[in-house]
């Protein structure tokens, strides 16, 4: 099957974008808030998926890109009174810069060594944030609600404390990352990324500079993760070092695996499923991390392709 | 003849794998548009030699020139882009992808020039090239088949189709007939002869009828060195060659 941008594919993706938008008019308040959060985290997963799902590079350090976006945005609002939009774009730029620097080092390695290097860099970022505690307010975190001016577009003012602004902000963020994933998956670029995942040496000898392609994938991946971090800071008004910790590098891996690595829909489905799994489990036990570990185990053993990956294998072969 | 610059030349080219000298100070050259066969016993260093030429391995010492240019330090992708294309001894294709996608990767590389189109260009121009290549290779109607599920012979031919879609100047075939049925071997020979009208072909082969059928000149390797080079008749009657084969 060649997975290109057909009308079917386009229609499916636009329906999902439209469906998510409409959901805000029907969902009860509790799930309304949850879905906003899920969409921001799914954006993080969508970014992760570009590197892991399509290019085949497993990272355990993606929290550093999320945190780079979150802190660049948060600190510029907190100390420099940046507006929401300029802070947001600064967040993306910071994550992209971290990705380029990191890629120049880490992409010399592959496989398990790459995994270890990502983990080490991720931990280094986390410790750096804690080390500069006086500036970053890392261990206790800080809120933006007193510093962040409402977003003004034309005559309209959008206050981030308004649930509807949160939801639609999250919706825009996710929709862009989702459509971008679809475009990449269907593009000549996506084809080469998948080729690298499937057979790196063959791809090199076909004449592709695989190093450069991996760097591109890493920067796109890191930038999307950074956008999610920046969006999280603005929409949920909180910045803290816990988002740079290893758990936030494991989460996007889990969400992507659960939903289906290398599928455009996987990150959303995986993030949503895991979110509600934990939500339900924490009603019964405080040890909800067991749920995280348990689901990872079940996944690896029985559903290596995740939810959407299995659906694609069995029924809907044209899913990108 | 001697005045014509060779397409490819190696000078004192060596490759050591901790302890083993796989290629030992080899001076080798190829003229444009010839079909050259390289033969030699197992472990002679044939695959290593062509791997140095296409950039899979970096040489321990020595020099490689292609079209008069020093390519010793060039990356494998640059060499492929310049026209040196390799088909693996152990077939290397994208086993989980369709035949269409396999060939599309080569076609896309060969025909899309504009940097933006290389990343986000449209599929229509690429797919035209893919259909042509699939037809020529005898894969009509198989475009959606997963490459890893094809017969071994078809997988080999798919790899050949991919490499041809790159429009190489030098095509390196590493034991292409290994594991093929006789009918498939005949097909392959016909194709190689047709390719060779425009392309220089370097073929490593154990199957002597194929070698004699295709090559005008044969190079014999043993222990990492070239021990003989000449017409099929000269090679057959060379005592060193007989010794190398009998000795193993
Ligand atoms: N990647 C490698 N690492 C270590 N040793 C290697 C490597 N590749 C080849 N060798 C060694 O180099 C020597 C030459 O191997 P090569 O594969 O080039 O031989 P060949 O002529 O292609 O043999 P065959 O006809 O079996 O394909 C052998 O002794 C082999 O064991
Ligand atoms: Mg060999």
């Amino acid at each position: 099957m060649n997975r290109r941008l057909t009308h079917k594919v386009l229609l499916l993706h636009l329906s999902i974008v439209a469906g998510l938008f409409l959901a805000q008019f029907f969902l009860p308040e509790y799930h309304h808030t949850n879905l906003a959060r899920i969409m921001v985290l799914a954006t993080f997963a969508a970014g992760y998926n570009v590197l892991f799902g399509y290019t085949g590079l497993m990272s355990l350090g993606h929290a550093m890109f999320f945190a780079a976006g979150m802190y660049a945005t948060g600190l510029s609002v907190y100390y420099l009174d940046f507006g929401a939009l300029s802070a947001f774009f600064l967040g993306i730029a910071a994550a992209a810069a971290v990705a380029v620097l990191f890629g120049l080092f880490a992409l010399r390695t592959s496989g398990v060594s790459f995994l270890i290097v990502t983990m080490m860099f991720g931990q280094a970022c986390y410790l750096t944030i804690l080390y500069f505690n006086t500036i970053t307010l890392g261990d206790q975190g800080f809120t933006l609600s007193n510093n962040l001016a409402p977003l003004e577009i034309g005559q309209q003012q959008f206050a981030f404390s308004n649930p509807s602004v949160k939801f639609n902000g999250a919706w825009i963020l996710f929709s862009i990352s989702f459509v971008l994933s679809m475009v990449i998956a269907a593009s000549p670029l996506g084809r080469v990324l998948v080729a690298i995942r499937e057979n790196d040496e063959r791809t090199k000898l076909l004449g592709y500079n695989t190093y450069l392609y991996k760097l591109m994938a890493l920067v796109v991946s890191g930038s999307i993760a950074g956008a999610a971090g920046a969006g999280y800071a603005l929409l949920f008004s909180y910045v803290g070092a816990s988002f740079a910790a290893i758990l936030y590098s494991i989460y996007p891996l889990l969400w992507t695996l659960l939903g289906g690595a290398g599928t455009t829909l996987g990150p959303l489905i995986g993030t949503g499923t895991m979110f509600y799994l934990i939500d339900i489990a924490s009603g019964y036990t405080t040890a909800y991390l067991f749920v995280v570990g348990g689901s990872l185990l079940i996944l690896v053993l029985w559903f290596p392709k995740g939810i959407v990956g299995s659906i694609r294998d069995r029924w809907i072969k044209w899913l990108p | 003849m001697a005045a014509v610059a060779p397409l490819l030349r190696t000078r004192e080219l060596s490759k050591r794998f901790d302890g083993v000298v796989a290629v030992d100070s080899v001076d080798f050259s190829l003229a444009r548009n010839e079909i050259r066969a390289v033969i030699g016993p197992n472990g002679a260093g044939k695959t290593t030699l062509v791997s140095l030429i296409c950039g899979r391995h970096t040489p321990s010492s020595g020099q490689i020139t292609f079209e008069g240019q020093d390519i010793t330090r060039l990356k494998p992708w640059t060499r492929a882009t310049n026209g040196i294309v390799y088909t693996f001894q152990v077939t290397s294709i994208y086993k989980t992808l369709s035949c269409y996608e396999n060939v599309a990767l080569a076609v896309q590389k060969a025909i899309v020039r504009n940097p933006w189109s290389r990343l986000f260009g449209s599929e229509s121009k690429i797919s035209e090239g893919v259909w042509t290549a699939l037809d020529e290779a005898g894969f009509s109607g198989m475009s959606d088949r997963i490459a890893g599920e094809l017969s071994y012979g078809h997988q080999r031919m798919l790899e050949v189709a991919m490499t041809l879609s790159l429009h190489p100047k030098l095509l390196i075939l590493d034991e292409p007939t290994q594991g093929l049925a006789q009918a498939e071997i005949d097909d392959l020979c016909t194709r190689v002869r047709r390719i060779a009208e425009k392309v220089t072909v370097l073929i490593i082969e154990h199957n002597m009828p194929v070698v004699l059928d295709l090559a005008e000149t044969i190079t014999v390797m043993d222990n990492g060195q070239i021990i003989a080079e000449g017409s099929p008749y000269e090679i057959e009657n060379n005592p060193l060659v007989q010794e190398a084969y009998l000795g193993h």
Side-chain angles (χ1 to χ4, degrees):
Chain A
M1 200 63 216
N2 69 84
R3 301 194 184 101
R4 298 296 106 188
L5 200 51
T6 57
H7 292 295
K8 253 192 309 199
V9 169
L10 205 61
L11 197 68
L12 174 75
H13 285 75
L14 294 182
S15 322
I16 287 167
V17 167
L20 286 170
F21 179 76
L22 293 175
Q24 66 184 305
F25 304 114
F26 301 104
L27 288 178
E29 197 188 318
Y30 177 64
H31 296 290
H32 184 275
T33 317
N34 282 353
L35 184 56
R37 209 171 285 262
I38 287 170
M39 285 191 288
V40 174
L41 297 176
T43 305
F44 185 15
Y48 188 82
N49 191 32
V50 171
L51 190 69
F52 172 61
Y54 288 99
T55 320
L57 289 170
M58 193 190 274
S59 148
L60 269 181
H62 255 53
M64 77 177 124
F65 306 123
F66 189 83
M70 176 175 257
Y71 271 93
T73 299
L75 294 176
S76 63
V77 170
Y78 193 77
Y79 288 112
L80 308 170
D81 292 323
F82 269 42
L85 271 188
S86 38
F88 178 71
F89 287 113
L90 184 71
I92 297 181
V98 171
V100 171
L101 278 178
F102 169 69
L104 292 177
F105 286 101
L107 288 174
R108 292 167 190 284
T109 62
S110 60
V112 177
S113 353
F114 180 79
L115 191 77
I116 291 167
V117 171
T118 58
M119 207 164 93
M120 280 165 38
F121 268 78
Q123 283 306 96
C125 277
Y126 175 53
L127 295 174
T128 308
I129 291 171
L130 290 181
Y131 184 78
F132 293 103
N133 203 19
T134 47
I135 303 166
T136 60
L137 311 175
D139 51 8
Q140 75 277 34
F142 61 95
T143 65
L144 297 180
S145 36
N146 297 328
N147 303 70
L148 188 57
L151 181 63
E152 279 181 48
I153 300 175
Q155 304 294 321
Q156 292 271 19
Q157 286 216 342
F158 298 96
F160 287 99
S161 52
N162 179 345
S164 157
V165 171
K166 282 190 213 295
F167 188 96
N168 287 298
W171 174 74
I172 292 171
L173 189 62
F174 174 73
S175 299
I176 291 174
S177 74
F178 184 54
V179 170
L180 189 64
S181 303
M182 175 193 74
V183 169
I184 291 174
S187 68
L189 168 64
R191 172 176 281 146
V192 178
L193 297 185
V194 169
I196 290 171
R197 179 187 78 196
E198 294 301 320
N199 190 340
D200 194 328
E201 188 175 40
R202 202 347 129 211
T203 312
K204 265 185 212 154
L205 291 178
L206 283 181
Y208 291 103
N209 183 342
T210 51
Y211 176 75
L212 196 62
Y213 275 92
K214 286 183 208 172
L215 188 60
M216 275 192 274
L218 181 62
V219 173
V220 171
S221 174
S223 304
I224 297 175
Y232 198 99
L234 294 173
L235 297 172
F236 303 111
S237 185
Y238 177 75
V239 175
S242 55
F243 288 100
I246 184 94
L247 188 60
Y248 272 82
S249 291
I250 296 172
Y251 274 142
L253 169 64
L254 257 165
W255 295 327
T256 308
L257 274 176
L258 177 60
T263 67
T264 54
L265 262 170
L268 177 68
I269 304 285
T271 310
T273 309
M274 183 62 78
F275 189 96
Y276 276 101
L277 266 180
I278 291 180
D279 191 55
I280 294 166
S282 57
Y284 295 98
T285 165
T286 50
Y288 66 88
L289 276 180
F290 269 117
V291 178
V292 178
S295 30
L296 184 62
L297 213 68
I298 292 171
L299 269 176
V300 172
L301 291 179
W302 286 291
F303 297 100
K305 297 202 167 164
I307 299 170
V308 182
S310 305
I311 292 177
R312 171 161 81 190
D313 270 8
R314 252 153 259 179
W315 297 295
I316 318 178
K317 300 239 191 287
W318 50 267
L319 283 178
Chain B
M1 272 308 278
V4 181
L7 177 69
L8 175 91
R9 158 170 283 168
T10 74
R11 284 197 189 84
E12 297 186 11
L13 193 63
S14 297
K15 178 67 179 177
R16 279 177 291 277
F17 294 109
D18 37 36
V20 185
V21 185
V23 170
D24 188 1
S25 198
V26 164
D27 292 312
F28 175 77
S29 72
L30 267 181
R32 224 173 258 277
N33 286 330
E34 72 168 312
I35 306 185
R36 173 74 63 92
V38 176
I39 64 171
N42 291 116
K46 309 178 292 294
T47 297
T48 308
L49 174 64
V50 295
S51 297
L52 293 171
I53 293 170
C54 73
R56 264 179 88 201
H57 296 320
T58 46
S60 309
S61 62
Q63 191 194 33
I64 311 166
T65 53
F66 184 68
E67 297 186 304
Q69 274 198 330
D70 186 344
I71 61 162
T72 318
R73 308 254 153 261
L74 294 188
K75 295 288 185 190
W77 49 79
T78 315
R79 299 191 205 193
T81 309
N82 291 352
I84 302 177
V85 169
Y86 176 67
T87 65
F88 287 78
Q89 178 166 358
V90 179
T91 309
S92 179
I93 53 177
Y94 302 101
K95 292 202 171 184
T96 59
L97 304 182
S98 66
C99 295
Y100 180 97
E101 285 296 307
N102 271 274
V103 174
L105 275 155
V107 171
Q108 174 178 317
K109 171 64 203 171
I111 68 171
V112 185
R113 291 266 169 271
N114 169 312
W116 177 254
S117 305
R118 277 194 191 170
L119 303 179
F120 295 108
S122 90
E123 183 70 5
S124 52
K125 244 178 80 186
I126 297 170
S127 69
E128 212 175 288
V130 177
W131 295 124
T132 314
L134 286 173
D135 280 348
E136 274 174 14
F139 281 78
S140 326
M142 294 166 72
S143 66
D144 279 351
R145 294 274 297 277
I146 300 299
E149 293 168 4
L150 299 173
S151 72
Y152 188 71
H154 275 122
Q155 293 191 18
R156 296 234 99 172
M157 293 311 282
L158 185 65
E159 189 176 7
V160 172
M162 287 164 72
T163 51
L164 288 182
S165 299
L166 292 172
H167 304 298
K169 292 175 187 156
L170 169 60
L171 177 64
I172 302 171
L173 300 165
D174 197 344
E175 301 196 25
T177 68
Q178 197 182 48
L180 297 194
Q182 189 55 45
E184 291 172 322
I185 293 178
D186 295 341
D187 272 357
L188 187 94
C189 288
T190 315
R191 277 207 96 192
V192 170
R193 231 176 286 116
R194 190 147 19 99
I195 296 157
E197 288 165 16
K198 285 182 248 160
V199 175
T200 308
V201 177
L202 175 57
I203 179 170
I204 298 174
E205 192 49 76
H206 279 301
N207 184 329
M208 279 320 277
V210 171
V211 171
L212 297 174
D213 179 23
L214 290 174
E216 300 119 37
T217 313
I218 299 171
T219 300
V220 188
M221 284 189 78
D222 189 25
N223 280 323
Q225 294 178 322
I226 292 178
I227 56 166
E229 201 162 82
S231 69
Y233 177 81
E234 288 165 338
I235 295 300
E236 261 185 301
N237 296 298
N238 185 317
L240 275 175
V241 176
Q242 290 166 355
E243 190 188 327
Y245 273 93
L246 290 175
H248 284 267

